[in-house]
Amino acid sequence: MHLISALQSTSNISTGKLQIYPSNFGVKVDKALQSMEEEAERIYKDERGLLLDDEAASTRDAMYEQAEFMERELEQMTEQIKTVIQTLNSNQGGELDANDGMNPLDVVVRILNNQLSSLMWIDEKAEEFSSRIQKLASQGSTADRQLAGPKLWMS
């Protein structure tokens, strides 16, 4: 109501196409907007109380708030995962951004090649460990036979 009366009072003060506003026009508009905002908050509080009385509505509101929280958490996790992937990719074969004239397929091929190299290295080390274990096992069984041999003859 205050905004309308403020606008009506200024409509009387016009010269041609240029409208001249009184010096307190901004104050009146601010007061009118403040009044409207307070009224909207009061209505919201009154209606929210009625809505929360309804169990289904309160459950829905709680679930919606939880969904918003989860969405923020997932966005944060997504950013963390992106950072980890970029770090891993840069450690495996230099920076893999498509800025150096590479198209996305080239980047994928480079990543897969780096992963294949890593897997081949792991396979090689696994074979080395396996052969070491077999050597130790055979040395251990030979040593056991040598130690067991004299004991059998002594008894």
Side-chain angles (χ1 to χ4, degrees):
M1 290 286 197
H2 298 297
L3 181 61
I4 294 172
S5 63
L7 291 174
Q8 287 173 344
S9 68
T10 58
S11 65
N12 297 334
I13 309 172
S14 63
T15 57
K17 293 183 180 180
L18 179 63
Q19 185 107 14
I20 300 174
Y21 297 102
S23 61
N24 65 349
F25 178 73
V27 174
K28 287 183 179 180
V29 170
D30 286 342
K31 285 182 180 178
L33 291 174
Q34 176 97 17
S35 171
M36 291 170 57
E37 188 175 313
E38 289 170 357
E39 181 68 16
E41 285 180 18
R42 185 188 63 75
I43 291 171
Y44 172 76
K45 287 178 183 175
D46 292 345
E47 294 295 321
R48 180 152 172 88
L50 294 173
L51 285 175
L52 291 178
D53 288 342
D54 181 15
E55 187 176 331
S58 64
T59 303
R60 181 187 64 238
D61 287 348
M63 290 176 66
Y64 183 74
E65 289 174 6
Q66 188 176 18
E68 286 179 331
F69 174 76
M70 290 174 60
E71 181 181 7
R72 286 189 303 272
E73 290 293 316
L74 286 173
E75 287 174 2
Q76 186 179 18
M77 289 171 57
T78 301
E79 290 302 317
Q80 290 174 345
I81 290 172
K82 284 181 184 178
T83 303
V84 168
I85 289 172
Q86 288 172 347
T87 302
L88 285 173
N89 288 339
S90 66
N91 288 340
Q92 287 185 354
E95 194 61 34
L96 295 175
D97 290 335
N99 294 339
D100 25 325
M102 297 174 64
N103 65 33
L105 183 61
D106 292 336
V107 173
V108 170
V109 168
R110 194 170 186 185
I111 290 170
L112 291 174
N113 281 338
N114 289 335
Q115 289 178 349
L116 178 63
S117 297
S118 296
L119 289 173
M120 290 171 56
W121 179 84
I122 290 170
D123 189 45
E124 178 183 321
K125 293 302 175 187
E127 287 179 19
E128 287 178 16
F129 287 131
S130 178
S131 66
R132 285 184 186 173
I133 290 171
Q134 287 176 353
K135 280 183 185 178
L136 290 174
S138 66
Q139 288 175 353
S141 64
T142 305
D144 286 345
R145 275 187 257 139
Q146 289 174 352
L147 291 175
K151 287 183 183 176
L152 289 176
W153 290 103
M154 297 175 115
S155 51

